[in-house]
Amino acid sequence: MPTTLDIDTLRSLITVVDMMSFSRAAERLGRSQSAISLQIARLEGLVGHSLLKRARGRVIGPTARGARLVAHARKIVELNERAVAEMRQPASGHRIRLGLPADFLERDFSSTLEEIRAHCPEARLSLRTDLSARLAEDVDHGRLDVALFKRASSNEAGAAIALEPLAWFGEVDRAFVRDGEPVPLVAFAEGCAYRDEALRSLRLAQRAWTIACEARSLSALAAAVESGLGYAALPTRLGERKSLIPARRLKEQLPALNPVELALGIAEAREVPFARTIGAIIAQRCTLA
């Protein structure tokens, strides 16, 4: 049976030799020292030779056989990295039609783009913003290559990226706070998952409501809430980032909100380079913003 060298183990060997220390190598690789030691021990057993010179428990360099293997390991690891990078690169000029909810552009999207460009330097994005319901429909029909959209929590497999807890924000300085009065809402247009969850929770609680303001952007929605037009259901982190006041006056009367799910859609029968990488970067950035 042919002997196969594990690339991850070869990378650990190179790092131990370069750092002259198991502990520093483990720190650089984000592994435990015991895991690195076990990798090297298994590699020595596989090749049948000691690979490192040790004195009083410290690494002082590679053995003669170890130095020869390290030379091969550097070439193997470099070739592996070049092969992976080449396969991941989209064809020059390949354009990815990406759909996002509009509020994502106000979540420090410039740094998100920087990270995408660092991971996918040749990917060219064609960006369109819309309501989540439309984005989900467009990626299903191939009008978008990749879409991130919000939806109610579900059991659908394969598309869920993250959950965003929601909270109520706003203070209304009028008589709307009395029992039985309709709750004035500030919301995005129909098709927004935040709006859908707000209405679902109010209906379930049998609480009357009215749309006081239908906003077309996150900035407009935040301004309406700050002006006291009504209450908005938003991701907790997003509302805090916009310095919106939590809804304290109606805290006892406003129903609990379920989190919304952030989902990634990729057009069927389309080989979209970096689709999941781009989706994961955006999801992580937006849920932290």
Side-chain angles (χ1 to χ4, degrees), residues 52-289:
L52 299 171
K53 295 178 182 178
R54 297 176 174 86
R56 297 180 181 177
R58 301 179 62 183
V59 176
I60 60 175
T63 63
R65 296 270 187 172
R68 290 166 61 184
L69 182 56
V70 168
H72 289 301
R74 294 187 192 279
K75 295 177 183 178
I76 293 170
V77 170
E78 180 185 2
L79 185 60
N80 175 76
E81 292 175 351
R82 286 170 56 189
V84 171
E86 184 176 332
M87 290 300 100
R88 284 183 172 177
Q89 287 292 342
S92 180
H94 185 93
R95 185 172 294 277
I96 299 174
R97 298 172 298 169
L98 173 65
L100 296 175
D103 60 281
F104 280 17
L105 295 185
E106 299 187 49
R107 302 193 192 194
D108 193 20
F109 196 68
S110 59
S111 63
T112 303
L113 277 178
E114 289 178 6
E115 187 172 350
I116 291 173
R117 287 166 180 156
H119 284 80
C120 324
E122 292 189 24
R124 298 176 61 194
L125 297 182
S126 176
L127 180 63
R128 179 162 65 80
T129 63
D130 211 329
L131 295 167
S132 288
R134 293 176 188 161
L135 294 172
E137 180 181 348
D138 285 350
V139 77
D140 282 344
H141 288 83
R143 293 188 288 269
L144 289 170
D145 298 319
V146 184
L148 272 90
F149 52 90
K150 298 161 287 189
R151 67 184 183 194
S153 298
S154 69
N155 294 321
E156 295 183 39
I161 294 291
L163 287 177
E164 285 198 300
L166 299 186
W168 292 102
F169 292 91
E171 287 290 350
V172 178
D173 297 324
R174 289 187 289 180
F176 290 119
V177 296
R178 295 183 309 208
D179 288 342
E181 292 287 346
V183 176
L185 295 181
V186 177
F188 293 120
E190 290 186 20
C192 171
Y194 306 153
R195 174 179 173 142
D196 291 345
E197 175 54 26
L199 299 187
R200 184 208 64 82
S201 67
L202 289 167
R203 291 190 186 106
L204 189 64
Q206 298 183 332
R207 187 67 198 267
W209 53 270
T210 183
I211 299 294
C213 176
E214 187 172 272
R216 297 292 178 179
S217 69
L218 179 59
S219 294
L221 185 145
V225 172
E226 290 172 344
S227 298
L229 283 174
Y231 298 91
L234 288 173
T236 306
R237 285 180 178 271
L238 184 58
E240 293 172 348
R241 190 169 187 269
K242 284 293 183 179
S243 301
L244 297 179
I245 300 173
R248 299 187 182 94
R249 186 167 297 174
L250 283 187
K251 187 174 182 181
E252 300 292 329
Q253 302 175 45
L254 289 172
L257 295 163
N258 288 336
V260 297
E261 191 171 82
L262 185 58
L264 173 66
I266 300 176
E268 292 186 10
R270 288 275 295 164
E271 183 180 346
V272 186
F274 288 123
R276 296 200 176 277
T277 301
I278 291 172
I281 291 172
I282 296 173
Q284 182 183 37
R285 288 278 188 169
C286 289
T287 52
L288 291 177

